[in-house]
Amino acid sequence: MRFTAVLNRDGGTLRTADLDALAARMRQLLEEAGHTLEIDIAGGDRIGERLEKAAASRAVDVVLAGGGDGTISTAAALLMGKKKALAVLPAGTMNLFARGLGIPQDLEGAIAAFATGKVIAVDMASANGRPFIHQFSIGLHAKMVHLREKMEFGSRLGKIGASFRAAWAIMKNPPRMAVDLTVGEAEMKMRTTGIGVSNNVFGEGHLPYADNPSGGVLGIYVASPRQRGEMLGFFVDMARGRWRDSQHVEALQAASAVLKVSGRTRRFPAVIDGELVRLEPVTRLEIHPGALNVLVPAQAPA
């Protein structure tokens, strides 16, 4: 296969990595397996246009994207509905999409898996037409990301620490939102501290990622904790992956949903794949089965 690797030198763990050594090892592993490889290393301000160029090239079969959540989400959106495949280099903080695809979490292991890998089709989701690979969320998660972005950190561990500090701050003053949620024929008016909508249902007993990235449904999670003790219990449940058992989360699933916000709630931001975005008064969420071709290890389930 013909690979083009697009690496964000400012994204994820690559900002502290030896990119020359990584590129050399990548070339060795892929070319020894009979593939061709072009490598494009760019800063975060240019990564979008470099990914767009690779996605549009007729001389590319696989776009190997390396960086944080934003880089991978951008690459997936550009490749949605195309024959080209995305290879996800796990260079982010949690690498949740890569985990769901069964990709090894060390860089060399991932590249070695790509050398002998296979292409499968997995789902994507969208919020008002904007594609996402992991999650759209409002309330708790969005406020945590907003607070975290005001903090300084220069490494993966630093980002994790900043997330914990932001979560602790939220416990003192959790958001309260009035929303209308339509799932199928059911229309629900509710006050909530947060709603997350995932690209396929999160698995149980681990970090929040989908065990089946081709399940064909949105996971919809409505959080209800209000007091500090309830908030602590909620975060413990989420860390342990206890989505279905948590008394502070109502879990639903559907092929589509409509989220309406009004009044003061409109001032809250939303998060799409880790990036803060403006929360629209009405958000239409959909699943797109088999919309993205991905390169996964040969032993990964079809």
Side-chain angles (χ1 to χ4, degrees):
M1 291 185 287
R2 299 168 296 179
F3 283 76
T4 289
V6 183
L7 308 180
N8 184 353
R9 65 160 59 96
D10 301 323
T13 58
L14 296 186
R15 70 179 72 179
T16 57
D18 184 340
L19 293 184
D20 290 335
L22 176 63
R25 187 59 174 154
M26 186 182 300
R27 191 176 300 280
Q28 179 186 4
L29 289 170
L30 293 178
E31 291 183 350
E32 284 181 354
H35 307 291
T36 64
L37 174 66
E38 296 292 331
I39 300 176
D40 189 357
I41 300 174
D45 58 337
R46 304 292 300 276
I47 202 68
E49 65 184 66
R50 302 295 179 86
L51 286 168
E52 187 173 0
K53 179 181 177 181
S57 174
R58 294 183 179 181
V60 177
D61 299 314
V62 179
V63 177
L64 196 164
D69 292 339
T71 299
I72 304 304
S73 185
T74 298
L78 289 167
L79 293 170
M80 184 178 179
K82 296 182 180 292
K83 292 183 178 180
K84 290 183 180 66
L86 171 65
V88 180
L89 192 67
T93 305
M94 295 297 182
N95 304 313
L96 298 172
F97 188 54
R99 290 176 189 271
L101 298 176
I103 296 172
Q105 292 302 291
D106 63 294
L107 298 183
E108 183 162 337
I111 297 165
F114 296 149
T116 58
K118 63 182 180 182
V119 176
I120 64 171
V122 299
D123 305 339
M124 290 191 68
S126 65
N128 285 346
R130 175 171 174 165
F132 63 91
I133 54 173
H134 181 55
Q135 180 175 299
F136 165 92
S137 59
I138 63 173
L140 285 169
H141 183 222
K143 186 172 182 179
M144 188 181 77
V145 172
H146 179 69
L147 292 175
R148 188 181 65 199
E149 288 199 347
K150 297 180 179 181
M151 303 175 187
E152 294 185 3
F153 52 87
S155 66
R156 179 176 180 272
L157 289 177
K159 184 175 181 180
I160 293 173
S163 296
F164 276 111
R165 295 195 300 274
W168 181 256
I170 291 172
M171 290 184 196
K172 301 176 182 177
N173 185 27
R176 291 176 174 83
M177 312 181 72
V179 302
D180 294 345
L181 177 64
T182 302
V183 180
E185 298 298 320
E187 297 183 10
M188 297 165 278
K189 292 183 178 293
M190 58 184 67
R191 295 192 66 82
T192 176
T193 50
I195 295 177
V197 181
S198 62
N199 176 22
N200 284 294
V201 177
F202 291 153
E204 292 287 307
H206 54 61
L207 292 170
Y209 63 84
D211 288 335
N212 179 9
S214 302
V217 293
L218 301 169
I220 304 168
Y221 304 92
V222 181
S224 59
R226 290 178 173 85
Q227 304 302 321
R228 185 175 300 183
E230 294 176 342
M231 291 292 299
L232 181 59
F234 167 79
F235 282 116
V236 170
D237 287 342
M238 298 308 96
R240 296 169 61 189
R242 293 180 55 192
W243 303 97
R244 297 191 186 102
D245 297 335
S246 176
Q247 62 179 318
H248 305 299
V249 178
E250 181 179 2
L252 309 168
Q253 53 183 285
S256 63
V258 178
L259 180 67
K260 297 180 181 180
V261 299
S262 59
R264 294 181 64 253
T265 303
R266 292 187 184 181
R267 300 186 302 175
F268 288 91
V271 169
I272 295 180
D273 284 346
E275 180 183 348
L276 287 168
V277 298
R278 180 176 177 268
L279 177 58
E280 300 290 340
V282 179
T283 303
R284 292 176 172 83
L285 299 131
E286 297 180 79
I287 194 78
H288 303 274
L292 179 67
N293 289 326
V294 291
L295 186 63
V296 298
Q299 70 274 18

